[in-house]
Amino acid sequence: MGFLLPTKEEDGGRRQRRNRFSRQIIPKSRAPLRRPFQGTRTLMALLYGLLWRLLLFLVHINRALVSWLRVRLRSWKGRLWERAMAALLLPVALAGVPDPQRKVYQDPDANANPVTGNRNAGRRSRWLSDGRSLEKLPVHIGLLVAEEEPSYTDIANLAVWCMAVGISYVSVYDNHGIFQKNNSRLLEEIVRQQDLMGVDGSKCNVEFLSQGSDKHQHHVVSCRPSVKVLSPEDGKQSIVQAAQQLCRSVENRERSSRDISVSMLDMLLRESKSVPDPELVVKFGPVDSTLGFLPWHIRLTEFISLPSHRDISYEDLLGVLRRFGSCQQRLGQ
């Protein structure tokens, strides 16, 4: 049995039908492919730039946080040390306290309060221990007030705290000479703060000195410690007096002009003053200036600035003394 082959006509008809069917199903031309978005590179560049700025911002925040944490850790370290010392001194402060169930004020006419006395004793022991724990303590400290309205109570507190930790000389200075004009008021406030804080007046006598005349304005038996009230005229006046003394000695032919030197002027300035140069000056206020504070005596003085002397606390003063104790004075080396 054989197969019949299609003729040429039949084969041509089949091809025509196949071509017609393919034209109906498959279009002749396809739609062109879409090109990629031409701004993709620009968008990616913008994203990379924003990402880089974000990273820089995070780096700055990290640095700021690290510096802030360092400062806070230092203050926390000091506070932890203070709390540890307070915890060690707490039994001493509470020694002799009566039963808490009993009333403290049994006698209304009693002059002494045992709780206040124990509290003051704890304060005194804490101040003494703080002064001994410092690496170095200034013998002479200056309080430079660069604010318009001084507070006598806060300055008196600072003076009493300085004397309580073991500082021998305290100088109070303001640019307008307000404390020197009202030194009796400052003296009364210091004495009142001594009584409130329980500081023994026989050990912390207050002595007011006048830089220009070297006369005691308030005579006391003991000279330790003493408070010096200064004004802008004090430092300049002492230099003028020493220069006049040198000129008179040359005029009277007691000295030669060749003998005049800085060391001689320094010797004359120190002969008339029994107070050493201040090692530390605490400046209160926004003004970055010494405001004429003893220009000859502050060659080796360390200056530490605080925003204000109002509402200052003992912890602020202790922090300043610790900063002074940790600083290194190379003296030109």
Side-chain angles (χ1 to χ4, degrees):
M1 182 176 179
F3 294 94
L4 295 178
L5 296 175
T7 61
K8 293 181 179 181
E9 295 177 355
E10 293 178 354
D11 189 14
R14 291 179 181 176
R15 289 180 179 176
Q16 291 179 358
R17 288 193 298 270
R18 188 182 303 166
N19 292 335
R20 192 180 304 119
F21 181 75
S22 62
R23 290 193 192 103
Q24 294 177 357
I25 296 178
I26 302 176
K28 293 182 178 181
S29 60
R30 296 182 179 179
L33 297 176
R34 294 183 179 180
R35 297 181 181 179
F37 182 65
Q38 297 179 357
T40 304
R41 295 183 179 179
T42 305
L43 181 61
M44 294 301 294
L46 291 175
L47 290 177
Y48 286 145
L50 291 176
L51 182 60
W52 179 251
R53 292 181 180 179
L54 179 61
L55 290 176
L56 289 177
F57 179 70
L58 293 177
V59 168
H60 287 301
I61 290 180
N62 187 17
R63 292 179 178 176
L65 287 176
V66 169
S67 61
W68 180 79
L69 286 175
R70 288 179 180 175
V71 174
R72 297 299 298 176
L73 284 175
R74 291 177 182 175
S75 61
W76 289 341
K77 184 178 179 181
R79 292 177 182 176
L80 288 175
W81 174 255
E82 293 174 3
R83 291 178 181 178
M85 293 301 298
L88 292 176
L89 296 174
L90 184 62
V92 178
L94 296 178
V97 178
D99 189 3
Q101 300 296 331
R102 299 173 61 185
K103 293 183 179 180
V104 176
Y105 299 100
Q106 296 179 357
D107 187 5
D109 297 330
N111 295 326
N113 189 346
V115 176
T116 305
N118 293 327
R119 186 182 305 162
N120 293 333
R123 288 179 180 176
R124 291 195 299 270
S125 61
R126 177 195 174 187
W127 294 334
L128 290 175
S129 63
D130 289 340
R132 294 170 183 172
S133 64
L134 296 173
E135 296 182 6
K136 59 179 178 179
L137 189 67
V139 179
H140 184 185
I141 185 173
L143 305 177
L144 195 159
V145 181
E147 297 178 83
E148 293 296 333
E149 297 180 359
S151 174
Y152 290 88
T153 302
D154 294 320
I155 292 298
N157 289 334
L158 287 170
V160 173
W161 290 333
C162 290
M163 293 185 291
V165 297
I167 299 176
S168 301
Y169 300 96
V170 181
S171 294
V172 180
Y173 178 89
D174 67 289
N175 189 30
H176 304 288
I178 298 176
F179 288 116
Q180 194 175 56
K181 295 176 183 177
N182 304 306
N183 52 12
S184 59
R185 179 180 174 185
L186 182 60
L187 171 61
E188 294 175 358
E189 191 65 30
I190 289 178
V191 174
R192 189 173 71 87
Q193 293 301 324
Q194 282 182 341
D195 296 337
L196 291 176
M197 296 181 187
V199 179
D200 191 359
S202 61
K203 296 181 181 179
C204 296
N205 291 319
V206 182
E207 182 178 10
F208 283 87
L209 306 175
S210 176
Q211 183 77 6
S213 60
D214 290 339
K215 295 180 180 178
H216 299 269
Q217 297 182 6
H218 177 68
H219 179 73
V220 291
V221 177
S222 176
C223 295
R224 181 189 178 278
S226 63
V227 176
K228 180 190 289 287
V229 182
L230 302 174
S231 65
E233 289 78 12
D234 295 325
K236 296 178 182 179
Q237 187 66 25
S238 61
I239 298 175
V240 170
Q241 290 177 357
Q244 290 176 352
Q245 185 177 353
L246 287 176
C247 293
R248 290 194 196 98
S249 63
V250 174
E251 184 180 1
N252 298 330
R253 296 182 179 180
E254 297 176 358
R255 288 190 180 92
S256 174
S257 59
R258 298 179 180 178
D259 298 335
I260 299 176
S261 61
V262 177
S263 59
M264 182 175 292
L265 180 61
D266 183 72
M267 182 180 63
L268 290 176
L269 288 172
R270 300 188 188 286
E271 282 180 356
S272 59
K273 306 295 179 288
S274 60
V275 178
D277 293 344
E279 293 96 346
L280 172 64
V281 172
V282 184
K283 184 184 71 65
F284 303 98
V287 181
D288 294 331
S289 173
T290 60
L291 299 176
F293 178 85
L294 298 181
W296 186 265
H297 302 79
I298 57 174
R299 294 170 294 175
L300 303 177
T301 303
E302 185 75 18
F303 279 80
I304 297 178
S305 299
L306 290 180
S308 177
H309 72 288
R310 292 184 171 276
D311 299 329
I312 193 169
S313 62
Y314 171 74
E315 284 72 19
D316 298 330
L317 176 63
L318 185 61
V320 170
L321 294 177
R322 284 173 177 167
R323 287 175 58 184
F324 172 75
S326 62
C327 70
Q328 296 181 358
Q329 293 178 326
R330 302 184 182 276
L331 304 178
Q333 298 179 357

